[in-house]
Amino acid sequence: MNPSTNFSSYLLPSVFDPRYHQHLNHLNDMAFTHTKMLQEIIEKRSVESSASSPSPSTSSSISPLAATSNDSIQQQKRSHAHLDNNNEEQRQQQGKDFLIKRSKVNDDADDEGDDDDEDEEENENHHSKRSRKQLKPQQFLTEKNQSDDDKDLSSEEEIGEVNSQDEKQNILPIPQPPIMPFSPHNLPFLNYIQDLARTNNITSPIAMTRFLENLQKELFSAVQNAALETKRIPLPLPSMFSQTVHHHHHPYFSQILFNNSFVNHYPPPPPPPPLLRFGNTSSDRTFPFHLSTPKKRRTKVTDTRLSPRIGSKIIPHDDLIDDDKSSSNHSYESTTSNHRRQQSTIEYNAYQITKLMFFYTRYPSSSVLKVYFPDVRFNKLITAQLVKWFSNFREFFYIQIEKYARQYLAEGVRKVEDLIITTDSDLYRVLNLHYNRSNQIDVPLSFCDVVQSTLREFFHAIQQQKDLEPSWKKSIYKIIQRLDDQIPEFFKDEHWVHSI
DNA sequence: CTGAGTCCTG
DNA sequence: CAGGACTCAG
């Protein structure tokens, strides 16, 4: 049980969002740019320092201890615990913040859309801004040693975390790619480095050189990790994760669940198709700095799934021109409208499929659900979501039936035997409209029986005035629970599922 | 204490 | 429909 487990899941969804990849690309760019710049700085510095101070061996003055000397005792304590981890991490974190921040400035389309609060202080001096973030759950991940990599794997999915690294990646040859012109655009980065240096009490040229080298190393190893990380990810993660970049291959359901359960920050409009700026390998797409802003803003699951357009399809009383004749639809589908529909259809499915399942089982256990959503990596929240859906379905189901039971009673029906539910019954139609609005499946006959049984139970109970007792419905629920059928196999069929 | 469910509310 | 309070069983 990793404390980060719960939160890490909030990070997931972004992975599915094309914009996330855009964002990563962007960060990647930045990293290279900055690395390059660092190198230049270092070169420059080293020339200077070698001229001024002959003995490089003294460079150890940059050690964290040097930093603590002026600082509070608290800091000392902490450095005791973490050894030089502390400072490293600080710098690293600042680096992250910076990168993230930068990318935000340059990338309006960015939709992480969660941390309005977090980065407003970005113009403040970097010295003080740490405290707040320190406590955030994800941050703890960075404190882990690389030695417990394995543990990390078990702890759900922490994507793109940066672990402070060992030295195996010494100075790697910089892939020399794009020669980045030194534009004013990059000035903030220099400022940032200066701040950083100040923070770390870097004064002497030698120390500065050393400091910059370390910084470079960190930056670069981060990039390297990106590559490693992406190779590693597919392992612990379900297949769906590896698919996420190929938008032609949307996992029908997981997409939704994750999107919905965790990231609802995006306003409705579906993102434009993600385009990778450069690089074709997966490692090019990912950058290890996960956008460390906590995405724990309460997610309202329907927010994305039931974006206005999508939601309208589910809401009763909706003129669903689109869905009801989806078959004929395909004839006129042109590029854009088709695209739109695809997007919405994907989202529509998850929920709809769950609804269809309701025809077979009213009380699916979570284990059953897992079986029928094999490509979904279940976690607490997802499970809860599904359970909640079924709970809501049931609610509607029982309310309708109770209503009709009372109605029949009022109409003078006497014997429960007179209550017969067929596909022509009003009650059936109402339910079918709710769960199977587009007639996507043939409702199993058993469902009629269940409805009928339920109706009779309610009827009988009301007739006996059991409804005056406190929780009179519960006994009925128990009876109905036993009537669950097995979910047919075709729910497992990916093709069928996609065709919904 | 936790998970499953229900009930109630917005 | 989602959230949250609440109940109840294990």
Side-chain angles (χ1 to χ4, degrees):
Chain A
M1 289 290 274
N2 185 326
S4 65
T5 300
N6 299 329
F7 295 87
S8 62
S9 40
Y10 288 102
L11 301 175
L12 281 181
S14 52
V15 174
F16 295 112
D17 192 302
R19 288 164 294 184
Y20 177 73
H21 293 286
Q22 267 181 305
H23 193 71
L24 288 182
N25 281 335
H26 188 76
L27 291 182
N28 209 353
D29 285 355
M30 304 291 296
F32 274 106
T33 309
H34 295 158
T35 305
K36 179 76 182 172
M37 293 169 61
L38 272 173
Q39 216 182 18
E40 290 174 2
I41 296 172
I42 289 172
E43 282 170 7
K44 201 174 156 194
R45 279 286 176 173
S46 61
V47 172
E48 292 174 4
S49 62
S50 64
S52 57
S53 61
S55 62
S57 57
T58 56
S59 59
S60 60
S61 61
I62 198 182
S63 84
L65 294 180
T68 60
S69 57
N70 296 330
D71 276 330
S72 68
I73 301 175
Q74 303 236 341
Q75 173 123 8
Q76 276 190 7
K77 280 185 196 160
R78 278 196 288 152
S79 10
H80 257 343
H82 296 40
L83 292 181
D84 57 358
N85 231 342
N86 205 23
N87 260 332
E88 275 234 334
E89 186 200 333
Q90 276 199 15
R91 290 203 307 271
Q92 204 165 346
Q93 180 55 44
Q94 287 174 345
K96 280 198 273 184
D97 291 346
F98 176 75
L99 287 178
I100 291 163
K101 173 173 61 180
R102 287 286 315 259
S103 70
K104 275 183 183 296
V105 172
N106 297 328
D107 185 3
D108 305 10
D110 171 14
D111 55 282
E112 287 317 302
D114 42 73
D115 34 18
D116 311 325
D117 318 319
E118 267 70 23
D119 38 8
E120 49 195 16
E121 63 226 324
E122 54 191 47
N123 288 330
E124 295 302 318
N125 46 357
H126 293 51
H127 314 276
S128 56
K129 74 181 279 185
R130 306 230 74 261
S131 50
R132 187 139 69 113
K133 291 202 161 192
Q134 202 89 37
L135 293 180
K136 295 185 175 157
Q138 291 94 346
Q139 302 301 326
F140 292 129
L141 299 178
T142 58
E143 307 205 358
K144 289 185 182 173
N145 264 329
Q146 51 274 39
S147 60
D148 31 11
D149 256 350
D150 340 322
K151 293 176 197 165
D152 280 350
L153 296 187
S154 64
S155 70
E156 300 271 81
E157 39 283 334
E158 291 101 20
I159 302 250
E161 250 312 337
V162 180
N163 300 322
S164 39
Q165 288 318 310
D166 29 329
E167 9 291 329
K168 53 177 158 224
Q169 53 273 97
N170 270 334
I171 305 221
L172 301 151
I174 297 201
Q176 297 296 347
I179 299 201
M180 298 299 192
F182 200 86
S183 66
H185 159 85
N186 287 322
L187 267 177
F189 186 60
L190 287 182
N191 293 336
Y192 163 70
I193 291 178
Q194 285 172 9
D195 280 348
L196 224 50
R198 232 176 286 130
T199 310
N200 288 276
N201 284 343
I202 308 293
T203 50
S204 76
I206 288 184
M208 186 52 157
T209 303
R210 187 63 170 209
F211 168 73
L212 289 174
E213 278 173 6
N214 285 337
L215 192 54
Q216 186 195 26
K217 232 184 285 181
E218 281 177 21
L219 259 180
F220 202 75
S221 72
V223 174
Q224 293 298 311
N225 282 341
L228 298 179
E229 202 70 15
T230 44
K231 283 173 196 159
R232 213 189 62 182
I233 282 178
L235 199 77
L237 300 183
S239 56
M240 36 169 293
F241 280 85
S242 48
Q243 298 177 3
T244 52
V245 256
H246 313 302
H247 21 298
H248 289 307
H249 210 112
H250 285 289
Y252 64 99
F253 184 69
S254 40
Q255 178 94 14
I256 316 310
L257 275 183
F258 281 114
N259 276 346
N260 296 314
S261 303
F262 308 118
V263 243
N264 58 354
H265 323 294
Y266 321 133
L275 292 184
L276 305 175
R277 292 233 297 262
F278 65 91
N280 300 315
T281 70
S282 60
S283 58
D284 282 331
R285 296 194 201 95
T286 6
F287 192 70
F289 297 123
H290 84 40
L291 316 173
S292 69
T293 56
K295 319 226 181 236
K296 55 168 164 250
R297 185 159 299 169
R298 254 296 191 219
T299 58
K300 180 164 186 177
V301 184
T302 39
D303 277 359
T304 46
R305 176 185 57 258
L306 302 182
S307 62
R309 181 186 36 176
I310 296 152
S312 66
K313 296 186 178 182
I314 306 180
I315 296 173
H317 308 310
D318 169 44
D319 278 350
L320 43 149
I321 301 134
D322 263 358
D323 289 85
D324 269 348
K325 21 182 183 173
S326 55
S327 49
S328 59
N329 265 344
H330 300 305
S331 51
Y332 77 91
E333 54 197 8
S334 64
T335 50
T336 49
S337 69
N338 184 30
H339 196 295
R340 268 192 45 215
R341 176 165 36 252
Q342 288 220 335
Q343 288 269 346
S344 58
T345 306
I346 288 166
E347 300 195 4
Y348 183 56
N349 278 346
Y351 184 70
Q352 187 59 37
I353 289 165
T354 315
K355 265 184 168 177
L356 294 178
M357 284 183 176
F358 188 78
F359 282 118
Y360 298 90
T361 172
R362 269 61 56 187
Y363 292 84
S365 69
S366 54
S367 53
V368 166
L369 291 176
K370 284 172 188 169
V371 171
Y372 284 90
F373 294 108
D375 63 342
V376 174
R377 181 185 181 122
F378 277 81
N379 60 27
K380 250 183 184 176
L381 284 176
I382 290 182
T383 307
Q385 181 59 71
L386 282 176
V387 165
K388 182 64 179 180
W389 281 351
F390 273 96
S391 176
N392 284 332
F393 298 160
R394 259 174 268 137
E395 196 166 19
F396 179 84
F397 177 81
Y398 286 130
I399 286 174
Q400 292 303 317
I401 293 181
E402 180 185 355
K403 193 172 79 183
Y404 274 84
R406 293 187 186 278
Q407 189 175 312
Y408 285 129
L409 200 60
E411 286 173 0
V413 178
R414 289 285 167 180
K415 296 183 290 185
V416 290
E417 291 77 21
D418 294 338
L419 298 172
I420 296 173
I421 295 296
T422 70
T423 52
D424 292 329
S425 309
D426 278 354
L427 175 54
Y428 171 86
R429 270 205 287 270
V430 168
L431 295 174
N432 186 60
L433 191 63
H434 188 73
Y435 303 112
N436 190 26
R437 155 173 294 268
S438 307
N439 288 312
Q440 285 147 326
I441 63 170
D442 296 328
V443 178
L445 287 179
S446 59
F447 184 69
C448 275
D449 295 337
V450 173
V451 173
Q452 180 171 298
S453 303
T454 312
L455 180 63
R456 290 181 175 183
E457 290 296 336
F458 268 96
F459 183 90
H460 186 257
I462 296 169
Q463 200 174 38
Q464 309 296 122
Q465 300 203 319
K466 297 265 179 57
D467 58 333
L468 300 179
E469 298 169 11
S471 47
W472 60 284
K473 294 179 184 176
K474 284 194 176 167
S475 56
I476 300 178
Y477 296 160
K478 276 181 189 167
I479 297 172
I480 304 308
Q481 188 161 7
R482 291 190 216 114
L483 301 179
D484 272 7
D485 285 326
Q486 204 148 31
I487 302 175
E489 289 293 310
F490 59 78
F491 275 91
K492 292 178 183 172
D493 179 11
E494 189 182 337
H495 290 84
W496 177 80
V497 149
H498 277 78
S499 71
I500 294 297

